[in-house]
Amino acid sequence: MRKKVIIGNWKMNNDKKETADLLLSLLKETWKKEINVKVSPSFVNLENAEKILKNSPIEVVAQNMHYENEGAYTGEISYKMLKSININSVIIGHSERRTIFSENDDIIKRKIVTALNNKMHVIFCFGESSENRNENKHYEIISEQLDVVMHSLTKNQWNQIILAYEPVWAIGTGVNATPEQAQEIHKYVRNKIAIAYNKNLANSVPIIYGGSLKPNNSKEIFSKPDIDGGLVGGASLSFKDFYSIIKSID
Ligand code: 13P
């Protein structure tokens, strides 16, 4: 059975104390051990978060990293720095990185290659804009975005990947994809992996959904057969909402 994954992407929110408070609240709670819960605080809070969560099943994930190992890249963070504080997973390809910070498929690919070659796990985000969907180009766009990983990864490297479908029009808008819309895309993606590799591999890759996930819509979205969890933005900033989203997949 595929693992279930719930990730809180805190984006540029939560200072040191807010980060610690939220984590301490989460630490008091329990859920089935098959559910992998991860949180992604800002860079400056990663090390403290990691210390607070040591010996807990909750994993700390970085929101970004650079593709080079080191060098003159002011303001950037390398995989080496992340690994040196025990961070072994990173979100790559988030739509905010693609649009606000102009990350194209080439940059995203380089980041993924660096992460995978250095034994990091990658939460790889993809998803269409509302224009793409209105023009009925969503499958085409998603397919192009996925080609960054689709044929180049070895079968083993897929063990290091979680795919996250995040339609841009659903991020932070309060308008989530319907469970049917999300399922349709997840199924399409799984089928694409089956064609490029094989069915067994396709069935082993977790594909999670992100975009206005809330306690009142998560259960129905998670009930779909190809949806293995969620990447939660806004609602993960509230302990109560995040915990109820975790429980909704329980
Ligand atoms: P929201 O849950 O705030 O829509 O954000 C989703 C997201 O971008 C998670 O990475």
Side-chain angles (χ1 to χ4, degrees), residues 9 11 94 96 166 170-173 210-214 231-235:
N9 175 9
K11 309 188 180 183
H94 194 280
E96 285 147 20
E166 295 208 306
I171 296 177
T173 58
S212 295
L213 268 172
K214 306 284 175 212
L231 183 51
V232 190

Side-chain angles (χ1 to χ4, degrees), residues 182-199:
Q183 164 62 20
E184 191 179 62
I185 299 290
H186 286 225
K187 191 174 170 191
Y188 167 76
V189 172
R190 208 175 294 290
N191 197 37
K192 215 172 137 58
I193 305 172
I195 293 165
Y197 293 85
N198 60 62
K199 223 169 169 177

